Amino acid sequence: MNSREKVLEYLATDYHVTSVTAGEALTRITPAMALFLTQDDKHFFQRHGDDPCHEVAKACNAGHVWHGDESMK
């Protein structure tokens, strides 16, 4: 993985993370992969830690703001 987009694509589509929550996936990725994620990305995954990883990754990559996150900025 050599970019933020590739890490988020992996988290959105790879079969290794399809059945885990966003919080679990964040703890399972390698430190090298984590370096490509921004602090906002990591916070988004933590905030939605109980939601399916693939959904959170897709929303994060698309720049979507989930209900309740509007006040974060």
Side-chain angles (χ1 to χ4, degrees):
M1 306 283 152
N2 61 1
S3 72
R4 173 184 177 269
E5 290 75 21
K6 287 187 180 186
V7 172
L8 289 173
E9 181 181 336
Y10 166 80
L11 291 171
T13 60
D14 195 87
Y15 73 94
H16 289 105
V17 293
T18 55
S19 62
V20 300
T21 65
E24 292 170 327
L26 196 57
T27 63
R28 292 182 183 185
I29 63 173
T30 66
M33 290 171 71
L35 286 174
F36 289 109
L37 297 177
T38 66
Q39 284 301 106
D40 285 342
D41 294 338
K42 293 173 187 173
H43 180 75
F44 192 76
F45 270 79
Q46 290 168 347
R47 184 165 173 90
H48 301 287
D50 293 332
D51 295 313
C53 175
H54 67 279
E55 290 180 14
V56 175
K58 287 177 185 175
C60 187
N61 197 25
H64 292 170
V65 176
W66 285 21
H67 180 70
D69 287 342
E70 296 91 352
S71 62
M72 296 302 298
K73 295 285 178 187

Short mmCIF file of all heavy atoms in Angstrom, two decimals:
data_model
loop_
_atom_site.label_atom_id
_atom_site.label_comp_id
_atom_site.label_asym_id
_atom_site.label_seq_id
_atom_site.Cartn_x
_atom_site.Cartn_y
_atom_site.Cartn_z
N MET A 1 0.85 -1.17 0.00
CA MET A 1 0.00 0.00 0.00
C MET A 1 0.90 1.24 0.00
O MET A 1 1.79 1.34 0.82
CB MET A 1 -0.86 0.04 1.25
CG MET A 1 -1.69 -1.16 1.55
SD MET A 1 -3.14 -1.21 0.51
CE MET A 1 -3.38 -2.95 0.45
N ASN A 2 0.62 2.12 -0.92
CA ASN A 2 1.49 3.30 -1.00
C ASN A 2 0.72 4.61 -1.05
O ASN A 2 1.27 5.63 -1.45
CB ASN A 2 2.43 3.18 -2.20
CG ASN A 2 1.69 3.09 -3.51
OD1 ASN A 2 0.48 3.12 -3.55
ND2 ASN A 2 2.43 2.94 -4.59
N SER A 3 -0.54 4.59 -0.65
CA SER A 3 -1.30 5.83 -0.60
C SER A 3 -2.52 5.67 0.29
O SER A 3 -2.97 4.55 0.56
CB SER A 3 -1.74 6.25 -2.00
OG SER A 3 -2.76 5.39 -2.47
N ARG A 4 -3.04 6.78 0.73
CA ARG A 4 -4.25 6.79 1.55
C ARG A 4 -5.40 6.13 0.80
O ARG A 4 -6.16 5.32 1.36
CB ARG A 4 -4.61 8.24 1.89
CG ARG A 4 -5.93 8.41 2.60
CD ARG A 4 -6.26 9.89 2.81
NE ARG A 4 -7.56 10.04 3.42
CZ ARG A 4 -8.69 10.19 2.75
NH1 ARG A 4 -8.69 10.23 1.43
NH2 ARG A 4 -9.84 10.31 3.40
N GLU A 5 -5.54 6.45 -0.48
CA GLU A 5 -6.63 5.91 -1.27
C GLU A 5 -6.56 4.38 -1.37
O GLU A 5 -7.59 3.71 -1.31
CB GLU A 5 -6.64 6.53 -2.67
CG GLU A 5 -7.04 7.99 -2.69
CD GLU A 5 -5.94 8.95 -2.18
OE1 GLU A 5 -4.75 8.56 -2.18
OE2 GLU A 5 -6.28 10.06 -1.76
N LYS A 6 -5.36 3.84 -1.53
CA LYS A 6 -5.21 2.39 -1.63
C LYS A 6 -5.53 1.70 -0.31
O LYS A 6 -6.12 0.62 -0.28
CB LYS A 6 -3.82 2.01 -2.11
CG LYS A 6 -3.62 2.31 -3.58
CD LYS A 6 -2.31 1.79 -4.10
CE LYS A 6 -2.19 2.12 -5.58
NZ LYS A 6 -1.00 1.53 -6.18
N VAL A 7 -5.15 2.32 0.81
CA VAL A 7 -5.47 1.75 2.12
C VAL A 7 -6.98 1.76 2.32
O VAL A 7 -7.57 0.75 2.74
CB VAL A 7 -4.75 2.51 3.26
CG1 VAL A 7 -5.25 2.04 4.62
CG2 VAL A 7 -3.24 2.33 3.15
N LEU A 8 -7.63 2.87 2.00
CA LEU A 8 -9.09 2.94 2.15
C LEU A 8 -9.79 1.99 1.19
O LEU A 8 -10.80 1.38 1.54
CB LEU A 8 -9.58 4.38 1.95
CG LEU A 8 -9.21 5.34 3.09
CD1 LEU A 8 -9.59 6.77 2.72
CD2 LEU A 8 -9.83 4.92 4.41
N GLU A 9 -9.26 1.82 0.00
CA GLU A 9 -9.84 0.86 -0.95
C GLU A 9 -9.73 -0.55 -0.40
O GLU A 9 -10.67 -1.34 -0.48
CB GLU A 9 -9.13 0.96 -2.30
CG GLU A 9 -9.68 0.00 -3.34
CD GLU A 9 -8.94 0.09 -4.67
OE1 GLU A 9 -8.34 1.13 -4.96
OE2 GLU A 9 -8.97 -0.91 -5.40
N TYR A 10 -8.57 -0.88 0.17
CA TYR A 10 -8.38 -2.19 0.80
C TYR A 10 -9.42 -2.40 1.91
O TYR A 10 -10.07 -3.44 1.99
CB TYR A 10 -6.97 -2.30 1.36
CG TYR A 10 -6.78 -3.46 2.30
CD1 TYR A 10 -6.57 -4.75 1.81
CD2 TYR A 10 -6.82 -3.28 3.68
CE1 TYR A 10 -6.42 -5.82 2.67
CE2 TYR A 10 -6.66 -4.35 4.54
CZ TYR A 10 -6.46 -5.62 4.04
OH TYR A 10 -6.31 -6.68 4.90
N LEU A 11 -9.57 -1.39 2.77
CA LEU A 11 -10.51 -1.50 3.88
C LEU A 11 -11.96 -1.57 3.41
O LEU A 11 -12.83 -2.08 4.11
CB LEU A 11 -10.31 -0.34 4.85
CG LEU A 11 -9.00 -0.35 5.63
CD1 LEU A 11 -8.81 0.95 6.38
CD2 LEU A 11 -8.95 -1.54 6.58
N ALA A 12 -12.23 -1.05 2.23
CA ALA A 12 -13.59 -1.06 1.69
C ALA A 12 -13.93 -2.34 0.92
O ALA A 12 -15.10 -2.68 0.79
CB ALA A 12 -13.79 0.15 0.77
N THR A 13 -12.91 -3.04 0.43
CA THR A 13 -13.21 -4.14 -0.49
C THR A 13 -12.56 -5.49 -0.16
O THR A 13 -13.04 -6.51 -0.62
CB THR A 13 -12.78 -3.78 -1.92
OG1 THR A 13 -11.36 -3.53 -1.94
CG2 THR A 13 -13.52 -2.55 -2.42
N ASP A 14 -11.49 -5.52 0.59
CA ASP A 14 -10.76 -6.78 0.79
C ASP A 14 -11.57 -7.77 1.63
O ASP A 14 -12.18 -7.38 2.63
CB ASP A 14 -9.41 -6.53 1.44
CG ASP A 14 -8.51 -7.73 1.33
OD1 ASP A 14 -7.81 -7.87 0.32
OD2 ASP A 14 -8.53 -8.55 2.27
N TYR A 15 -11.54 -9.02 1.23
CA TYR A 15 -12.33 -10.04 1.94
C TYR A 15 -11.84 -10.28 3.36
O TYR A 15 -12.58 -10.79 4.19
CB TYR A 15 -12.34 -11.35 1.14
CG TYR A 15 -11.04 -12.12 1.17
CD1 TYR A 15 -10.83 -13.11 2.12
CD2 TYR A 15 -10.03 -11.85 0.26
CE1 TYR A 15 -9.63 -13.82 2.15
CE2 TYR A 15 -8.84 -12.55 0.29
CZ TYR A 15 -8.64 -13.54 1.24
OH TYR A 15 -7.46 -14.22 1.28
N HIS A 16 -10.61 -9.90 3.68
CA HIS A 16 -10.10 -10.07 5.04
C HIS A 16 -10.82 -9.17 6.05
O HIS A 16 -10.81 -9.46 7.24
CB HIS A 16 -8.59 -9.77 5.10
CG HIS A 16 -7.76 -10.80 4.45
ND1 HIS A 16 -7.16 -10.59 3.22
CD2 HIS A 16 -7.41 -12.05 4.82
CE1 HIS A 16 -6.48 -11.67 2.88
NE2 HIS A 16 -6.62 -12.57 3.83
N VAL A 17 -11.39 -8.09 5.59
CA VAL A 17 -12.02 -7.14 6.51
C VAL A 17 -13.52 -6.97 6.28
O VAL A 17 -14.15 -6.14 6.92
CB VAL A 17 -11.33 -5.75 6.46
CG1 VAL A 17 -9.92 -5.83 7.00
CG2 VAL A 17 -11.34 -5.17 5.06
N THR A 18 -14.11 -7.79 5.43
CA THR A 18 -15.54 -7.62 5.14
C THR A 18 -16.43 -7.96 6.32
O THR A 18 -17.53 -7.43 6.42
CB THR A 18 -15.98 -8.47 3.93
OG1 THR A 18 -15.64 -9.83 4.17
CG2 THR A 18 -15.36 -7.97 2.64
N SER A 19 -15.98 -8.81 7.21
CA SER A 19 -16.85 -9.21 8.32
C SER A 19 -16.46 -8.57 9.66
O SER A 19 -16.93 -9.01 10.70
CB SER A 19 -16.84 -10.74 8.46
OG SER A 19 -15.52 -11.17 8.77
N VAL A 20 -15.61 -7.56 9.63
CA VAL A 20 -15.19 -6.92 10.87
C VAL A 20 -15.71 -5.49 10.96
O VAL A 20 -16.10 -4.90 9.95
CB VAL A 20 -13.65 -6.93 11.03
CG1 VAL A 20 -13.11 -8.35 11.05
CG2 VAL A 20 -12.97 -6.12 9.97
N THR A 21 -15.71 -4.97 12.16
CA THR A 21 -16.14 -3.59 12.36
C THR A 21 -15.00 -2.64 12.02
O THR A 21 -13.84 -3.07 11.92
CB THR A 21 -16.57 -3.34 13.81
OG1 THR A 21 -15.44 -3.48 14.66
CG2 THR A 21 -17.69 -4.29 14.23
N ALA A 22 -15.32 -1.39 11.89
CA ALA A 22 -14.29 -0.39 11.59
C ALA A 22 -13.24 -0.33 12.70
O ALA A 22 -12.05 -0.20 12.43
CB ALA A 22 -14.94 0.98 11.39
N GLY A 23 -13.68 -0.44 13.93
CA GLY A 23 -12.74 -0.43 15.05
C GLY A 23 -11.78 -1.60 15.02
O GLY A 23 -10.58 -1.45 15.26
N GLU A 24 -12.30 -2.78 14.71
CA GLU A 24 -11.46 -3.97 14.62
C GLU A 24 -10.46 -3.84 13.46
O GLU A 24 -9.29 -4.18 13.61
CB GLU A 24 -12.31 -5.21 14.42
CG GLU A 24 -13.15 -5.59 15.62
CD GLU A 24 -14.15 -6.69 15.31
OE1 GLU A 24 -14.65 -6.76 14.16
OE2 GLU A 24 -14.44 -7.46 16.23
N ALA A 25 -10.93 -3.36 12.34
CA ALA A 25 -10.07 -3.23 11.17
C ALA A 25 -8.94 -2.25 11.43
O ALA A 25 -7.80 -2.48 11.02
CB ALA A 25 -10.88 -2.78 9.96
N LEU A 26 -9.23 -1.17 12.14
CA LEU A 26 -8.21 -0.18 12.43
C LEU A 26 -7.09 -0.78 13.27
O LEU A 26 -5.92 -0.43 13.09
CB LEU A 26 -8.84 1.02 13.13
CG LEU A 26 -8.02 2.30 13.19
CD1 LEU A 26 -7.62 2.77 11.80
CD2 LEU A 26 -8.78 3.39 13.91
N THR A 27 -7.42 -1.70 14.15
CA THR A 27 -6.39 -2.33 14.98
C THR A 27 -5.65 -3.44 14.24
O THR A 27 -4.56 -3.83 14.64
CB THR A 27 -6.98 -2.90 16.28
OG1 THR A 27 -7.91 -3.93 15.97
CG2 THR A 27 -7.64 -1.81 17.10
N ARG A 28 -6.22 -3.95 13.17
CA ARG A 28 -5.63 -5.06 12.42
C ARG A 28 -4.69 -4.64 11.29
O ARG A 28 -3.91 -5.45 10.81
CB ARG A 28 -6.71 -5.95 11.82
CG ARG A 28 -7.49 -6.71 12.85
CD ARG A 28 -8.50 -7.61 12.18
NE ARG A 28 -9.32 -8.30 13.16
CZ ARG A 28 -10.22 -9.21 12.83
NH1 ARG A 28 -10.42 -9.55 11.58
NH2 ARG A 28 -10.92 -9.80 13.77
N ILE A 29 -4.80 -3.40 10.83
CA ILE A 29 -3.93 -3.00 9.73
C ILE A 29 -2.51 -2.81 10.23
O ILE A 29 -2.28 -2.57 11.42
CB ILE A 29 -4.43 -1.72 9.01
CG1 ILE A 29 -4.45 -0.52 9.95
CG2 ILE A 29 -5.78 -1.97 8.36
CD1 ILE A 29 -4.78 0.79 9.25
N THR A 30 -1.57 -2.92 9.33
CA THR A 30 -0.17 -2.80 9.71
C THR A 30 0.17 -1.34 10.03
O THR A 30 -0.49 -0.42 9.55
CB THR A 30 0.75 -3.27 8.57
OG1 THR A 30 0.60 -2.38 7.46
CG2 THR A 30 0.43 -4.70 8.14
N PRO A 31 1.22 -1.14 10.83
CA PRO A 31 1.64 0.24 11.11
C PRO A 31 1.97 1.01 9.83
O PRO A 31 1.71 2.21 9.75
CB PRO A 31 2.88 0.05 11.99
CG PRO A 31 2.67 -1.26 12.67
CD PRO A 31 1.96 -2.11 11.63
N ALA A 32 2.53 0.33 8.84
CA ALA A 32 2.87 0.99 7.57
C ALA A 32 1.60 1.49 6.88
O ALA A 32 1.59 2.59 6.31
CB ALA A 32 3.63 0.04 6.66
N MET A 33 0.54 0.70 6.92
CA MET A 33 -0.72 1.12 6.31
C MET A 33 -1.33 2.28 7.10
O MET A 33 -1.86 3.22 6.51
CB MET A 33 -1.71 -0.05 6.26
CG MET A 33 -1.33 -1.13 5.28
SD MET A 33 -2.36 -2.61 5.43
CE MET A 33 -3.92 -2.02 4.79
N ALA A 34 -1.25 2.21 8.41
CA ALA A 34 -1.82 3.25 9.26
C ALA A 34 -1.17 4.61 9.03
O ALA A 34 -1.81 5.64 9.19
CB ALA A 34 -1.70 2.84 10.72
N LEU A 35 0.10 4.62 8.63
CA LEU A 35 0.80 5.87 8.37
C LEU A 35 0.16 6.68 7.25
O LEU A 35 0.25 7.91 7.24
CB LEU A 35 2.27 5.61 8.03
CG LEU A 35 3.17 5.21 9.19
CD1 LEU A 35 4.55 4.83 8.68
CD2 LEU A 35 3.25 6.30 10.23
N PHE A 36 -0.49 6.01 6.32
CA PHE A 36 -1.12 6.71 5.19
C PHE A 36 -2.46 7.34 5.55
O PHE A 36 -2.94 8.22 4.84
CB PHE A 36 -1.30 5.76 3.99
CG PHE A 36 0.00 5.41 3.33
CD1 PHE A 36 0.53 4.14 3.45
CD2 PHE A 36 0.70 6.34 2.58
CE1 PHE A 36 1.73 3.81 2.84
CE2 PHE A 36 1.90 6.02 1.97
CZ PHE A 36 2.41 4.75 2.11
N LEU A 37 -3.07 6.89 6.65
CA LEU A 37 -4.35 7.44 7.05
C LEU A 37 -4.13 8.75 7.82
O LEU A 37 -3.22 8.86 8.63
CB LEU A 37 -5.11 6.45 7.94
CG LEU A 37 -5.48 5.13 7.28
CD1 LEU A 37 -6.17 4.22 8.28
CD2 LEU A 37 -6.36 5.35 6.06
N THR A 38 -4.98 9.71 7.57
CA THR A 38 -4.88 10.98 8.28
C THR A 38 -5.48 10.83 9.68
O THR A 38 -6.19 9.86 9.96
CB THR A 38 -5.64 12.09 7.53
OG1 THR A 38 -7.04 11.78 7.57
CG2 THR A 38 -5.16 12.24 6.09
N GLN A 39 -5.22 11.81 10.53
CA GLN A 39 -5.82 11.80 11.87
C GLN A 39 -7.35 11.83 11.75
O GLN A 39 -8.03 11.18 12.53
CB GLN A 39 -5.32 12.99 12.69
CG GLN A 39 -3.90 12.81 13.21
CD GLN A 39 -3.75 11.59 14.09
OE1 GLN A 39 -3.18 10.58 13.67
NE2 GLN A 39 -4.27 11.64 15.28
N ASP A 40 -7.86 12.59 10.79
CA ASP A 40 -9.31 12.63 10.57
C ASP A 40 -9.85 11.26 10.17
O ASP A 40 -10.92 10.86 10.62
CB ASP A 40 -9.68 13.67 9.52
CG ASP A 40 -9.58 15.09 10.03
OD1 ASP A 40 -9.55 15.29 11.26
OD2 ASP A 40 -9.53 16.01 9.18
N ASP A 41 -9.11 10.54 9.33
CA ASP A 41 -9.51 9.19 8.93
C ASP A 41 -9.59 8.28 10.15
O ASP A 41 -10.58 7.57 10.36
CB ASP A 41 -8.51 8.57 7.94
CG ASP A 41 -8.45 9.26 6.60
OD1 ASP A 41 -9.42 9.94 6.23
OD2 ASP A 41 -7.41 9.11 5.93
N LYS A 42 -8.56 8.31 10.96
CA LYS A 42 -8.51 7.44 12.14
C LYS A 42 -9.63 7.80 13.12
O LYS A 42 -10.27 6.91 13.68
CB LYS A 42 -7.14 7.56 12.82
CG LYS A 42 -6.01 6.99 11.98
CD LYS A 42 -4.66 7.27 12.58
CE LYS A 42 -3.56 6.84 11.64
NZ LYS A 42 -2.23 7.23 12.12
N HIS A 43 -9.88 9.09 13.28
CA HIS A 43 -10.95 9.51 14.16
C HIS A 43 -12.31 9.04 13.63
O HIS A 43 -13.16 8.59 14.39
CB HIS A 43 -10.95 11.03 14.32
CG HIS A 43 -12.03 11.52 15.21
ND1 HIS A 43 -11.98 11.40 16.58
CD2 HIS A 43 -13.22 12.11 14.93
CE1 HIS A 43 -13.09 11.90 17.10
NE2 HIS A 43 -13.86 12.34 16.12
N PHE A 44 -12.50 9.13 12.32
CA PHE A 44 -13.74 8.68 11.68
C PHE A 44 -13.96 7.19 11.95
O PHE A 44 -15.06 6.77 12.30
CB PHE A 44 -13.67 8.97 10.19
CG PHE A 44 -14.97 8.83 9.46
CD1 PHE A 44 -15.94 9.81 9.56
CD2 PHE A 44 -15.22 7.74 8.64
CE1 PHE A 44 -17.15 9.69 8.88
CE2 PHE A 44 -16.40 7.62 7.95
CZ PHE A 44 -17.38 8.60 8.07
N PHE A 45 -12.90 6.39 11.81
CA PHE A 45 -13.00 4.95 12.06
C PHE A 45 -13.30 4.68 13.53
O PHE A 45 -14.09 3.79 13.85
CB PHE A 45 -11.72 4.23 11.63
CG PHE A 45 -11.75 3.77 10.20
CD1 PHE A 45 -11.51 4.66 9.17
CD2 PHE A 45 -12.03 2.46 9.88
CE1 PHE A 45 -11.54 4.25 7.85
CE2 PHE A 45 -12.07 2.03 8.56
CZ PHE A 45 -11.82 2.94 7.55
N GLN A 46 -12.68 5.42 14.42
CA GLN A 46 -12.92 5.23 15.85
C GLN A 46 -14.35 5.63 16.21
O GLN A 46 -15.02 4.94 16.98
CB GLN A 46 -11.91 6.02 16.67
CG GLN A 46 -10.51 5.46 16.58
CD GLN A 46 -9.46 6.39 17.14
OE1 GLN A 46 -9.71 7.56 17.39
NE2 GLN A 46 -8.26 5.86 17.32
N ARG A 47 -14.79 6.75 15.67
CA ARG A 47 -16.13 7.26 15.97
C ARG A 47 -17.21 6.28 15.50
O ARG A 47 -18.26 6.15 16.10
CB ARG A 47 -16.33 8.61 15.31
CG ARG A 47 -17.64 9.27 15.63
CD ARG A 47 -17.60 10.73 15.24
NE ARG A 47 -18.87 11.36 15.39
CZ ARG A 47 -19.30 11.95 16.50
NH1 ARG A 47 -18.54 11.97 17.55
NH2 ARG A 47 -20.48 12.51 16.54
N HIS A 48 -16.94 5.58 14.41
CA HIS A 48 -17.88 4.61 13.84
C HIS A 48 -17.36 3.19 14.00
O HIS A 48 -17.57 2.34 13.14
CB HIS A 48 -18.14 4.94 12.37
CG HIS A 48 -18.70 6.31 12.18
ND1 HIS A 48 -20.00 6.63 12.51
CD2 HIS A 48 -18.12 7.46 11.76
CE1 HIS A 48 -20.20 7.91 12.27
NE2 HIS A 48 -19.08 8.43 11.82
N GLY A 49 -16.70 2.95 15.11
CA GLY A 49 -16.03 1.69 15.38
C GLY A 49 -16.92 0.46 15.38
O GLY A 49 -16.45 -0.64 15.12
N ASP A 50 -18.22 0.63 15.66
CA ASP A 50 -19.13 -0.52 15.69
C ASP A 50 -19.82 -0.78 14.35
O ASP A 50 -20.55 -1.74 14.21
CB ASP A 50 -20.20 -0.32 16.77
CG ASP A 50 -19.61 -0.35 18.17
OD1 ASP A 50 -18.56 -1.01 18.37
OD2 ASP A 50 -20.18 0.30 19.06
N ASP A 51 -19.57 0.08 13.39
CA ASP A 51 -20.18 -0.07 12.07
C ASP A 51 -19.30 -0.96 11.19
O ASP A 51 -18.10 -1.09 11.42
CB ASP A 51 -20.36 1.29 11.41
CG ASP A 51 -21.35 2.17 12.17
OD1 ASP A 51 -22.42 1.65 12.51
OD2 ASP A 51 -21.03 3.33 12.42
N PRO A 52 -19.88 -1.57 10.15
CA PRO A 52 -19.10 -2.43 9.24
C PRO A 52 -17.94 -1.66 8.60
O PRO A 52 -18.12 -0.53 8.11
CB PRO A 52 -20.11 -2.87 8.19
CG PRO A 52 -21.44 -2.71 8.85
CD PRO A 52 -21.30 -1.54 9.77
N CYS A 53 -16.78 -2.26 8.61
CA CYS A 53 -15.57 -1.62 8.09
C CYS A 53 -15.75 -1.15 6.65
O CYS A 53 -15.37 -0.03 6.32
CB CYS A 53 -14.41 -2.59 8.18
SG CYS A 53 -12.89 -1.95 7.43
N HIS A 54 -16.30 -2.00 5.79
CA HIS A 54 -16.40 -1.63 4.38
C HIS A 54 -17.25 -0.39 4.17
O HIS A 54 -16.95 0.43 3.31
CB HIS A 54 -16.89 -2.82 3.54
CG HIS A 54 -18.30 -3.23 3.80
ND1 HIS A 54 -18.64 -4.03 4.87
CD2 HIS A 54 -19.44 -2.95 3.15
CE1 HIS A 54 -19.94 -4.22 4.86
NE2 HIS A 54 -20.46 -3.58 3.83
N GLU A 55 -18.30 -0.22 4.97
CA GLU A 55 -19.15 0.96 4.82
C GLU A 55 -18.43 2.22 5.30
O GLU A 55 -18.53 3.28 4.67
CB GLU A 55 -20.45 0.78 5.60
CG GLU A 55 -21.38 -0.25 5.00
CD GLU A 55 -22.67 -0.40 5.80
OE1 GLU A 55 -22.96 0.46 6.65
OE2 GLU A 55 -23.38 -1.39 5.56
N VAL A 56 -17.73 2.11 6.42
CA VAL A 56 -17.01 3.26 6.97
C VAL A 56 -15.89 3.68 6.02
O VAL A 56 -15.69 4.87 5.75
CB VAL A 56 -16.45 2.94 8.38
CG1 VAL A 56 -15.59 4.08 8.90
CG2 VAL A 56 -17.60 2.65 9.35
N ALA A 57 -15.16 2.71 5.47
CA ALA A 57 -14.06 3.01 4.55
C ALA A 57 -14.57 3.69 3.28
O ALA A 57 -13.97 4.66 2.81
CB ALA A 57 -13.29 1.75 4.20
N LYS A 58 -15.68 3.21 2.75
CA LYS A 58 -16.25 3.83 1.55
C LYS A 58 -16.68 5.26 1.82
O LYS A 58 -16.42 6.16 1.03
CB LYS A 58 -17.43 3.01 1.03
CG LYS A 58 -17.02 1.72 0.36
CD LYS A 58 -18.23 0.91 -0.06
CE LYS A 58 -17.81 -0.44 -0.61
NZ LYS A 58 -18.97 -1.30 -0.92
N ALA A 59 -17.34 5.48 2.95
CA ALA A 59 -17.78 6.83 3.31
C ALA A 59 -16.60 7.75 3.57
O ALA A 59 -16.59 8.90 3.14
CB ALA A 59 -18.68 6.77 4.55
N CYS A 60 -15.59 7.24 4.23
CA CYS A 60 -14.39 8.03 4.53
C CYS A 60 -13.68 8.42 3.23
O CYS A 60 -13.30 9.58 3.05
CB CYS A 60 -13.46 7.21 5.43
SG CYS A 60 -12.04 8.11 6.06
N ASN A 61 -13.54 7.49 2.33
CA ASN A 61 -12.87 7.75 1.06
C ASN A 61 -13.64 8.74 0.20
O ASN A 61 -13.06 9.55 -0.51
CB ASN A 61 -12.66 6.44 0.30
CG ASN A 61 -11.62 6.57 -0.80
OD1 ASN A 61 -10.75 7.42 -0.76
ND2 ASN A 61 -11.71 5.71 -1.78
N ALA A 62 -14.96 8.69 0.29
CA ALA A 62 -15.79 9.60 -0.50
C ALA A 62 -15.91 10.97 0.14
O ALA A 62 -16.46 11.89 -0.45
CB ALA A 62 -17.18 8.99 -0.69
N GLY A 63 -15.43 11.11 1.39
CA GLY A 63 -15.50 12.39 2.07
C GLY A 63 -16.85 12.67 2.67
O GLY A 63 -17.17 13.81 2.98
N HIS A 64 -17.67 11.64 2.83
CA HIS A 64 -19.00 11.82 3.39
C HIS A 64 -18.94 12.16 4.86
O HIS A 64 -18.04 11.74 5.58
CB HIS A 64 -19.84 10.55 3.21
CG HIS A 64 -20.16 10.27 1.79
ND1 HIS A 64 -20.73 9.09 1.38
CD2 HIS A 64 -20.00 11.01 0.66
CE1 HIS A 64 -20.91 9.12 0.08
NE2 HIS A 64 -20.46 10.26 -0.38
N VAL A 65 -19.92 12.91 5.31
CA VAL A 65 -20.09 13.20 6.73
C VAL A 65 -21.33 12.47 7.19
O VAL A 65 -22.41 12.66 6.64
CB VAL A 65 -20.24 14.73 6.97
CG1 VAL A 65 -20.52 15.01 8.42
CG2 VAL A 65 -19.02 15.46 6.48
N TRP A 66 -21.16 11.59 8.18
CA TRP A 66 -22.29 10.84 8.69
C TRP A 66 -23.06 11.70 9.68
O TRP A 66 -22.51 12.60 10.30
CB TRP A 66 -21.81 9.58 9.39
CG TRP A 66 -21.36 8.51 8.44
CD1 TRP A 66 -20.98 8.68 7.15
CD2 TRP A 66 -21.21 7.14 8.74
NE1 TRP A 66 -20.62 7.47 6.61
CE2 TRP A 66 -20.74 6.52 7.57
CE3 TRP A 66 -21.44 6.38 9.85
CZ2 TRP A 66 -20.49 5.16 7.50
CZ3 TRP A 66 -21.17 5.02 9.80
CH2 TRP A 66 -20.72 4.42 8.62
N HIS A 67 -24.33 11.40 9.83
CA HIS A 67 -25.18 12.11 10.78
C HIS A 67 -24.52 12.10 12.15
O HIS A 67 -24.10 11.06 12.64
CB HIS A 67 -26.56 11.47 10.86
CG HIS A 67 -27.47 12.15 11.82
ND1 HIS A 67 -27.97 13.41 11.58
CD2 HIS A 67 -27.92 11.78 13.03
CE1 HIS A 67 -28.71 13.76 12.59
NE2 HIS A 67 -28.70 12.80 13.50
N GLY A 68 -24.41 13.27 12.76
CA GLY A 68 -23.78 13.38 14.05
C GLY A 68 -22.34 13.86 13.97
O GLY A 68 -21.78 14.32 14.95
N ASP A 69 -21.74 13.76 12.79
CA ASP A 69 -20.35 14.21 12.62
C ASP A 69 -20.26 15.67 12.19
O ASP A 69 -19.17 16.21 12.15
CB ASP A 69 -19.64 13.36 11.56
CG ASP A 69 -19.31 11.96 12.04
OD1 ASP A 69 -19.32 11.75 13.27
OD2 ASP A 69 -19.07 11.10 11.20
N GLU A 70 -21.37 16.28 11.88
CA GLU A 70 -21.35 17.64 11.35
C GLU A 70 -20.65 18.60 12.30
O GLU A 70 -19.98 19.53 11.88
CB GLU A 70 -22.78 18.15 11.07
CG GLU A 70 -23.49 17.38 9.99
CD GLU A 70 -24.28 16.20 10.56
OE1 GLU A 70 -24.16 15.89 11.76
OE2 GLU A 70 -25.03 15.59 9.78
N SER A 71 -20.80 18.39 13.60
CA SER A 71 -20.22 19.31 14.58
C SER A 71 -18.74 19.06 14.82
O SER A 71 -18.11 19.80 15.57
CB SER A 71 -20.97 19.18 15.91
OG SER A 71 -20.83 17.86 16.41
N MET A 72 -18.18 18.05 14.18
CA MET A 72 -16.77 17.72 14.39
C MET A 72 -15.85 18.74 13.76
O MET A 72 -14.72 18.91 14.15
CB MET A 72 -16.44 16.34 13.83
CG MET A 72 -17.18 15.21 14.52
SD MET A 72 -16.87 15.14 16.29
CE MET A 72 -15.12 14.83 16.32
N LYS A 73 -16.29 19.45 12.74
CA LYS A 73 -15.42 20.40 12.02
C LYS A 73 -15.66 21.80 12.52
O LYS A 73 -16.68 22.21 12.87
CB LYS A 73 -15.67 20.31 10.52
CG LYS A 73 -15.28 18.98 9.94
CD LYS A 73 -13.80 18.87 9.83
CE LYS A 73 -13.42 17.49 9.30
NZ LYS A 73 -12.05 17.25 9.31
#
